[in-house]
Amino acid sequence: MRAPAGLHLDYVSPAEYQAAEWGDVLGVATFSGTRDRVGATVAEIPVAEVSTPVLPGTGHVFEVWRCNRPATSGQRQRVRFRRTADMLFGCIAVSEAQLAAAAAGPDRARCSRAGHAAGHGALHEATSQAYREICAAVDAENYPHLLRVWNYLPDINRDADGTERYRQFNSARQHALRESGRSLAGNVPAASALGAASNSPLVVYFLASRSAPCFVENPRQLSAYHYPRQYGVHSPVFSRATLWRAPDGLALFISGTASIVGHRSLHVGDTAAQTRETLTNIEALLAEANRAARGAHFRLGALALKVYVRRPADLPVIEAELAAALGESARVIYLQADICRQDLLVEIEATGMCPLDAAA
Ligand code: 3EB
């Protein structure tokens, strides 16, 4: 982003990434539906490799987080990270197949106690391990505030052991956050949770900070951590958005947002109407954020958007709605991904930066 916010987000092709030779990269997430690794990053940069196809076609997208200041890299257990004095980007991948193999091997007793014996599936165990290691890493490095978390789960809507896998994920996420002493409502990070290719690992990447952010809810929606039990025994733990004062700017992280009003999915089967409702939800969050940070002027057309499309054939309809709402200069990428409710056809996450002098 061009605003001097100290934190930058760019969506670029691998070729653009290589040509740019940025010296201040904090972390990268790569998106691709193919198995071939996109490589081409410096070894010390943490890279979250997500298996979700880019639309249209089969290209690769790099989501690049830059910080405009010195950074150093490290690793704790499986969490790879890179940090400045103020913030940390981290990522972890946990393979369910490897957990299953470990459970069958000499470590069997330990793994059974941790997961399978309690009637939980491999995704529950993978999620527990990922969140335990993430919380331990940010606490040990002293960046205790999770600002923003991205979760990519293979086969998110599939039933396993009698429970939808997204619900297993929610149970394990909630449990691990509680065990680490964190809040389960209110003071919780913004997030996205999407499907990924079968047999790919659970991939989680995140931003964390030394200073506390401000959490923003959407007056049109029930907070996700208060969803009724019909959506799962354990509610999803995320805020609708977080607002964080970066060293020289204000950053707004808008969670994955869909056509939900109250707690219900609206416009079932109507992709265009779901897209419009989603944009109305994002506008409501922008208004809340601009009110919470006096002097801030976040606006839809200046956000970077990541749009998740369940059915690739819906892409033209969604693109047309976004073009009408955003104009041409918008920075948007489209990915094919399953969304956590079967009746949702589109979900949009967004990131905005605003210079600090404008946000007195
Ligand atoms: C929703 O509003 C749509 O479980 O972390 C959006 C963003 C959604 C994050 C999560 C789920 C999550 O409930 C789904």
Side-chain angles (χ1 to χ4, degrees):
M1 279 185 188
R2 271 152 293 279
L7 182 63
H8 302 249
L9 167 61
D10 290 289
Y11 297 120
V12 297
S13 70
E16 287 168 326
Y17 182 80
Q18 271 182 302
E21 296 186 329
W22 285 308
D24 64 339
V25 175
L26 197 57
V28 175
T30 66
F31 299 91
S32 123
T34 57
R35 277 278 160 182
D36 52 308
R37 296 177 54 114
V38 258
T41 52
V42 182
E44 66 176 1
I45 305 292
V47 180
E49 292 183 73
V50 181
S51 296
T52 61
V54 175
L55 295 174
T58 56
H60 301 290
V61 166
F62 278 26
E63 175 181 317
V64 184
W65 292 90
R66 289 185 295 134
C67 54
N68 192 30
R69 44 194 21 82
T72 55
S73 296
Q75 178 162 356
R76 281 191 183 258
Q77 300 178 82
R78 283 167 291 185
V79 177
R80 299 188 58 220
F81 58 81
R82 190 163 171 85
R83 56 197 166 348
T84 67
D86 307 287
M87 69 183 306
L88 176 149
F89 172 101
C91 60
I92 184 170
V94 180
S95 152
E96 293 174 60
Q98 275 171 22
L99 290 180
D107 274 351
R108 187 182 177 134
R110 189 172 58 84
C111 290
S112 294
R113 263 201 310 282
H116 297 83
H120 298 314
L123 181 62
H124 189 285
E125 178 59 17
T127 305
S128 297
Q129 292 187 9
Y131 271 83
R132 271 202 301 266
E133 291 184 23
I134 288 168
C135 292
V138 298
D139 287 344
E141 298 295 326
N142 195 23
Y143 300 80
H145 303 283
L146 286 171
L147 299 173
R148 192 18 173 138
V149 186
W150 289 264
N151 305 278
Y152 295 92
L153 299 52
D155 299 321
I156 189 169
N157 297 134
R158 185 161 58 79
D159 260 25
D161 311 299
T163 310
E164 189 194 22
R165 283 165 54 84
Y166 176 58
R167 297 181 181 206
Q168 292 183 27
F169 164 82
N170 275 319
S171 299
R173 171 172 57 178
Q174 186 177 117
H175 190 246
L177 290 171
R178 182 189 291 110
E179 275 193 328
S180 81
R182 285 177 160 74
S183 311
L184 300 181
N187 181 5
V188 295
S192 298
L194 281 306
S198 299
N199 303 317
S200 62
L202 167 70
V203 174
V204 182
Y205 67 96
F206 59 93
L207 293 168
S209 62
R210 291 241 150 106
S211 59
C214 171
F215 301 96
V216 180
E217 288 299 293
N218 185 342
R220 305 181 81 236
Q221 296 185 307
L222 186 66
S223 294
Y225 41 77
H226 291 147
Y227 278 168
R229 287 172 67 97
Q230 74 199 75
Y231 303 102
V233 179
H234 299 100
S235 298
V237 178
F238 68 96
S239 290
R240 297 299 180 184
T242 49
L243 197 49
W244 180 63
R245 190 164 284 240
D248 44 9
L250 208 48
L252 176 65
F253 304 101
I254 297 183
S255 290
T257 303
S259 178
I260 296 174
V261 175
H263 60 77
R264 293 202 166 79
S265 307
L266 294 195
H267 317 297
V268 173
D270 184 341
T271 308
Q274 287 200 9
T275 307
R276 290 191 294 270
E277 197 72 52
T278 299
L279 291 170
T280 304
N281 276 328
I282 291 174
E283 294 271 26
L285 283 167
L286 290 174
E288 289 294 295
N290 287 332
R291 198 168 56 197
R294 215 173 311 145
H297 49 83
F298 294 106
R299 50 184 192 85
L300 193 58
L303 301 175
L305 302 185
K306 201 154 121 204
V307 180
Y308 301 99
V309 179
R310 183 186 286 277
R311 306 183 301 208
D314 286 342
L315 181 62
V317 170
I318 296 167
E319 278 181 317
E321 292 298 335
L322 287 183
L326 298 170
E328 283 156 20
S329 61
R331 297 177 308 143
V332 189
I333 62 162
Y334 295 90
L335 303 175
Q336 189 284 316
D338 291 342
I339 296 158
C340 62
R341 291 186 191 179
Q342 294 277 6
D343 52 16
L344 295 175
L345 300 171
V346 59
E347 181 173 307
I348 303 177
E349 64 177 55
T351 307
M353 312 292 175
C354 179
L356 198 57
D357 55 306

